[in-house]
Amino acid sequence: MAQKGSRIVFACQKCGHQSRKWLGKCPDCGEWNSFAEEQSRDQSRELTGAAFRISAVRDSRPTPFTEIEPQDDAREMTGIDEFDRVLGGGIVPGSLVLIGGEPGIGKSTLLSQVADRLSQLYGKVLYISGEESDRQIKLRGERLGINPTGLYLLAETNLEHIFSEIERLQPQAIILDSVQTIYSQKLESAPGSISQVREVAGQFLVLAKSLGLPVFLIGHVTKEGTIAGPKALEHIVDTVLYFEGERHHQHRILRAAKNRFGAANELGIFEMTSTGLVGVPNPSEIFLSERPLGASGSVVVAAMEGTRPMLIELQALVSSSRFGTGRRTTQGVELNRVVLLVAMLEKRLGLQLSGDDIFVNLVGGISIEEPAIDLGIVAAVTSSFRNIPLHPRTVVFGEVGLAGEVRATSQAAVRLREAARMGFQRVIMPQNNLNGLPGDDRLDVIGVRSVTDALESIF
Ligand code: TYD
Ligand code: MG
């Protein structure tokens, strides 16, 4: 039966859009068949009638800007460098952090390791699991070689019960694994539905802010919006981290998609080993470790992810299509970017590519959106098309425009330094970046103004 003050609505399970009627297609996100019937409470009740009872939300009044204490010195480091980096230099007390990723990618593993570090450094940590039993978590902990005294486990899915346990335990940090398995008994919809997921996240937000605790929510990213995904929570939480990588590869990439307390483009790179996740402090080495030397279509690009330079191998394969028009397929780089650059190559350099299939792949399961890899894509496609390999100690970077011009990119000096450090000898880069750039006698730096110049220097 409907509660007082509640009404029936239909909510899109992908983006949360609500409607009084069932709709076949969500007018907001365009998803088909994503509407489900839910109980909705009034907005006003939602904001005031909280399940959270630990402490009343403090009085708020206007405060002079100059009297507000800065928060940054209060950051807590976990000592897991790659994790601290993605958070913007450690955990901010009172922050609500969402960690999303596909099942099996390693979310519980990472957070168990974080919980271990936090409990050693700051006292009681509560790990709430709605998915696994205490024993399963303990088993994972043993595999990870952790045995922290301050870590408490709670296998529970009822939000109200969880809050009373939190009140009793008074932990210093909380981990919730996962937000889709927890439900509030005040709502009638099923766990994992958009209103439950939002309610749970909203309650933990109030808790984090009023107690000044860091709270980590784990959220599954699944195909086809049957379960409300982390996307629907992005606006509620302070920080959103996505765990990416292919399950069959060891590398895992933790990427900040939103961060109220730091840069949103930082990356953390881990390797999944038999004893848990290990940070990779030197990603270029990993990304280049299996590079075939002297193969056509293989190019090393210098990309920036956040504050960190990375040398990555980019591969292209151009082969004649069995059908009239060639397909373009990419992995790790934007398809549209490749289509555009290929069209530019056809028009400006007269390469006949329209009848060829073109595959472009960034090696190592990483994806890069930065336009600085444009020149690398152009070089790789041309190398494969002509079947001429690049000099193996060459690094390429630069943005390419539609007229075939090579444009300056940010942080050229940092990219050059990384190339030199990794033992490369030749760098093909935008001429416009060369002014005032500190020279490096280990490198032969070639500035180019156009794609024609670049390809001449490369081949
Ligand atoms: P898990 O953290 O349970 O994934 P999630 O919580 O994101 O669903 O870890 C999933 C995989 O990681 C699992 O297939 C086993 C593997 N794994 C290791 O390779 N080494 C380890 O030390 C651990 C704990 C897990
Ligand atoms: Mg898990």
Side-chain angles (χ1 to χ4, degrees), residues 105-114 127 140 144 177 272 275-277:
I105 196 93
K107 300 178 296 298
S108 305
T109 306
L110 177 67
L111 270 300
S112 305
Q113 290 176 277
V114 168
Y127 192 110
R140 179 186 288 115
L144 299 173
D177 187 2
M272 181 63 98
T275 52
L277 289 157

Side-chain angles (χ1 to χ4, degrees), residues 29 31 99 101 126 131 145 150 165 185 253 336 348 366 444:
C29 68
E31 187 75 7
I99 293 140
L126 181 62
E131 307 200 331
E165 290 302 326
Q185 63 199 33
I253 292 149
N336 285 340
R348 308 277 166 204
I366 191 168
D444 177 14

Side-chain angles (χ1 to χ4, degrees), residues 247-313:
R247 271 179 80 166
H248 306 289
H249 268 122
Q250 283 114 306
H251 301 122
R252 300 284 182 275
I253 292 149
L254 191 63
R255 189 190 289 277
K258 163 183 175 178
N259 195 350
R260 286 191 182 140
F261 308 113
N265 51 0
E266 282 294 346
L267 273 196
I269 299 179
F270 295 91
E271 191 170 352
M272 181 63 98
T273 69
S274 58
T275 52
L277 289 157
V278 180
V280 176
N282 192 352
S284 301
E285 247 163 48
I286 298 270
F287 289 130
L288 297 180
S289 60
E290 289 176 280
R291 185 166 64 106
L293 294 180
S296 66
S298 159
V299 170
V300 176
V301 292
M304 291 294 300
E305 278 292 346
T307 51
R308 191 152 57 160
M310 262 178 228
L311 301 187
I312 308 168
E313 185 195 354

Side-chain angles (χ1 to χ4, degrees), residues 130-168:
E131 307 200 331
E132 293 162 308
S133 67
D134 305 2
R135 283 173 173 225
Q136 281 173 296
I137 301 171
K138 168 96 181 172
L139 214 62
R140 179 186 288 115
E142 280 172 352
R143 186 168 172 189
L144 299 173
I146 58 176
N147 199 14
T149 43
L151 179 59
Y152 290 78
L153 303 180
L154 175 64
E156 177 59 63
T157 54
N158 180 313
L159 184 69
E160 284 73 24
H161 187 185
I162 289 171
F163 272 69
S164 62
E165 290 302 326
I166 291 174
E167 192 170 9
R168 196 169 329 168

